[in-house]
Amino acid sequence: TDWWDRIVLQVWDDSQWLRNFRMCKGTFLELCHLLSPALKRKNTKMRAALTVQKRVAIALWKLATPDSYRSVGNQFGVGKSTVGVAVMQVANTITELLLSKVVTLGNVQVIVDGFAAMGFPNCGGAIDGTHIPILGLDHQGSQYINFSMVLQALVDHKGCFTNINMGWPGKVHDARAFRNSGLFKRLQEGIYFPDQKITVGDVEMPIVILGEPAYPLMPWLMKLYTGILDSSKELFNYRLSKCRMVIECAFGHLKGRWRSLLTGSDLSE
């Protein structure tokens, strides 16, 4: 408790906050302010409630490191079960209050211009899936390859997440997870992006997204040519691959910042 109250809150500079909580102190305090209405708890006759700041800090420390619940509890002077409760409370509150404000499409024209500058015209995003390791689902082990869940994400030209879909077992193919997502339905109905088309040759091309070979080729989803390629198809593949790298980098940054995503998150705790 003294370590948190007297050292972290009062002594640590922004470089120490960034290394350990993956955000500067100012961002941390702003996050606590946004989550406070839902996370604040009253003291009881038995004990004083954890402050919102300490609860958020415990959750961030657990998400940012591969440390066990017990280790994080020892770090903050609380029990293992308290860490588990704090992580779930903070994660659920962020999902309920902030997810729709942060993971959003934003200005489509800025995104299209960004991808055009990278070499691909009328592009609204790059899509891919990644496996998030999990533990604690023994009764469904056959569905979870290496015990993982699939995170499907669409990102803009800067690698910012604009749409996510999470929860399919690792056994499920990326294309199936995509076809059963709300994003696929909205793209198929033509309501996700504005009706903004350009003419390529004699074909009208809507705003498209870029996917790997596992995804289905659609009027609004482009993927690489395969087989024997001429120079124009090779150039197409080069530009598509260059633009699609933003989703690979986005997943790398996500797992690099929140190290718990590299190890099995225990969903049973």
Side-chain angles (χ1 to χ4, degrees):
T1 300
D2 287 346
W3 171 78
W4 165 249
D5 293 332
R6 299 183 183 181
I7 298 178
V8 177
L9 282 179
Q10 298 183 28
V11 178
W12 276 15
D13 58 23
D14 270 353
S15 65
Q16 290 170 299
W17 276 86
L18 283 169
R19 280 200 308 270
N20 293 283
F21 294 102
R22 299 298 190 263
M23 62 183 65
C24 65
K25 186 177 180 181
T27 303
F28 170 80
L29 295 176
E30 181 181 357
L31 178 62
C32 291
H33 174 72
L34 293 172
L35 301 181
S36 183
L39 288 179
K40 195 171 184 179
R41 299 291 185 271
K42 293 182 178 180
N43 296 332
T44 67
K45 293 181 179 180
M46 300 295 293
R47 63 178 180 177
L50 286 180
T51 64
V52 171
Q53 289 184 359
K54 189 168 185 178
R55 193 177 290 115
V56 173
I58 289 171
L60 292 178
W61 190 286
K62 179 67 182 77
L63 294 172
T65 68
D67 294 356
S68 66
Y69 285 86
R70 188 179 303 280
S71 176
V72 177
N74 291 337
Q75 189 81 15
F76 285 87
V78 299
K80 171 185 172 182
S81 60
T82 301
V83 175
V85 171
V87 171
M88 293 307 298
Q89 286 178 344
V90 172
N92 288 334
T93 304
I94 288 174
T95 300
E96 292 169 8
L97 299 183
L98 303 181
L99 184 63
S100 61
K101 299 177 182 179
V102 177
V103 182
T104 183
L105 185 57
N107 190 319
V108 176
Q109 190 57 53
V110 171
I111 297 173
V112 169
D113 291 343
F115 277 112
M118 296 169 64
F120 207 101
N122 223 31
C123 175
I127 191 170
D128 201 358
T130 187
H131 287 261
I132 305 297
I134 59 172
L135 301 173
L137 292 174
D138 294 339
H139 61 290
Q140 293 182 317
S142 62
Q143 296 184 41
Y144 290 83
I145 295 178
N146 297 328
F147 293 96
S148 66
M149 283 185 176
V150 176
L151 166 62
Q152 173 196 282
L154 182 73
V155 301
D156 65 13
H157 60 294
K158 292 185 176 180
C160 296
F161 292 94
T162 57
N163 185 278
I164 60 171
N165 181 42
M166 180 73 188
W168 283 90
K171 182 179 180 180
V172 174
H173 193 274
D174 283 351
R176 181 185 172 194
F178 177 51
R179 285 185 179 277
N180 285 276
S181 67
L183 175 63
F184 181 91
K185 182 178 180 182
R186 281 176 281 169
L187 287 167
Q188 186 76 325
E189 294 174 353
I191 59 175
Y192 189 74
F193 292 119
D195 186 15
Q196 177 179 315
K197 298 179 180 178
I198 62 173
T199 302
V200 180
D202 58 351
V203 177
E204 280 197 332
M205 172 184 164
I207 295 178
V208 299
I209 63 175
L210 309 179
E212 63 173 354
Y215 287 91
L217 180 65
M218 308 291 289
W220 40 262
L221 192 155
M222 297 289 103
K223 61 181 187 176
L224 300 175
Y225 282 106
T226 58
I228 300 175
L229 308 179
D230 58 26
S231 59
S232 63
K233 292 180 179 179
E234 287 181 349
L235 178 60
F236 177 91
N237 282 2
Y238 168 76
R239 291 185 174 183
L240 189 150
S241 297
K242 179 182 176 182
C243 292
R244 219 189 63 77
M245 281 298 295
V246 293
I247 183 67
E248 305 292 348
C249 293
F251 285 145
H253 291 155
L254 177 69
K255 294 181 179 181
R257 173 169 288 187
W258 307 111
R259 296 297 181 88
S260 62
L261 298 179
L262 294 171
T263 59
S265 299
D266 195 341
L267 302 184
S268 66
E269 296 202 51

